[in-house]
Amino acid sequence: MGRRTVSVHHVRAVLAGARRGGVDLVPLLQEAQIPPLLLGDDRARVTPAQFARLFRALYRTTRDEFLGLSAVPSRPGTFAMMCYACFGCRDLGAAVERAAAFYGLFPGGPELALEVEGAEARFTVRGELGRDEERFLSECVLAIWHRLSSWMVGRRIPLTTASFAYPAPPHEGEYGVLFDCPVRFGAERTAPRSTRAG
């Protein structure tokens, strides 16, 4: 069941920026068809369709690609322009480096880096990771980049490990499902590792 549902922790985390910004969460939850009382049940789960509707509702409400989870908003269209900037690069490594340079132009953007060690590559997100919502945003960036990178090379890039620079949270079981690889907490940095994809 875990593979087909989303933990209520992620529902709370994705709502954290809107809550901090004073947005009324009830209409967002109603649009997503998520009962507001569900947020109080640590064991609750929602369907991927419910979570996707919530994500879209938040995007429309916040007009921020980071959904209010970062100190500085990201204007709609930023990610798409980054993708355009990366297409046509000679290989995936060059595309990731260009993406890092692109987001480096914006204050508050994710600090991305690609590190290559022999036959392995590690994609990192640097920055303050103290609050749950900041951790969630970093985790989203990593998951999105893994999928985008796989799409760019035309095959799924298998991850060998995913490391996180914070202690294991109560919902640690969700991470193995999200990244489909062994997971380690309390690491030096937040980064998934894979064999090089070219």
Side-chain angles (χ1 to χ4, degrees):
M1 180 176 174
R3 286 189 175 271
R4 295 186 175 90
T5 58
V6 179
S7 166
V8 72
H9 164 80
H10 294 308
V11 176
R12 293 176 188 141
V14 79
L15 287 168
R19 178 184 288 114
R20 197 170 59 232
V23 174
D24 184 358
L25 304 184
V26 173
L28 297 173
L29 291 165
Q30 289 174 336
E31 184 174 341
Q33 299 174 11
I34 298 173
L37 290 176
L38 212 65
L39 297 184
D41 182 356
D42 291 340
R43 298 167 300 169
R45 306 187 71 83
V46 300
T47 66
Q50 288 173 305
F51 192 75
R53 285 193 294 266
L54 179 60
F55 205 96
R56 289 192 295 269
L58 277 164
Y59 184 85
R60 285 194 304 273
T61 300
T62 62
R63 302 292 296 160
D64 175 7
E65 292 189 348
F66 297 151
L67 308 178
L69 297 172
S70 178
V72 179
S74 179
R75 294 178 65 180
T78 302
F79 182 79
M81 289 306 298
M82 180 276 300
C83 289
Y84 286 126
C86 293
F87 294 155
C89 286
R90 68 182 182 279
D91 57 31
L92 182 58
V96 174
E97 288 174 2
R98 185 172 292 180
F102 178 90
Y103 272 113
L105 298 173
F106 301 95
E111 297 178 38
L112 312 176
L114 179 68
E115 301 170 1
V116 178
E117 299 173 2
E120 290 193 324
R122 181 169 53 198
F123 183 74
T124 64
V125 178
R126 292 190 282 254
E128 293 299 319
L129 297 168
R131 295 184 299 193
D132 282 347
E133 59 263 33
E134 290 163 338
R135 294 174 181 173
F136 178 76
L137 181 58
S138 295
E139 293 159 8
C140 283
V141 168
L142 292 177
I144 289 167
W145 262 99
H146 177 236
R147 286 155 180 78
L148 179 62
S149 297
S150 296
W151 179 80
M152 284 180 175
V153 300
R155 64 179 175 84
R156 185 186 178 282
I157 300 171
L159 298 177
T160 54
T161 58
S163 302
F164 300 91
Y166 39 85
H171 59 282
E172 65 179 295
E174 303 292 318
Y175 290 78
V177 174
L178 181 60
F179 292 97
D180 195 26
C181 67
V183 174
R184 183 166 64 97
F185 292 94
E188 180 183 345
R189 66 193 73 186
T190 296
R193 184 187 294 267
S194 70
T195 54
R196 292 178 66 182

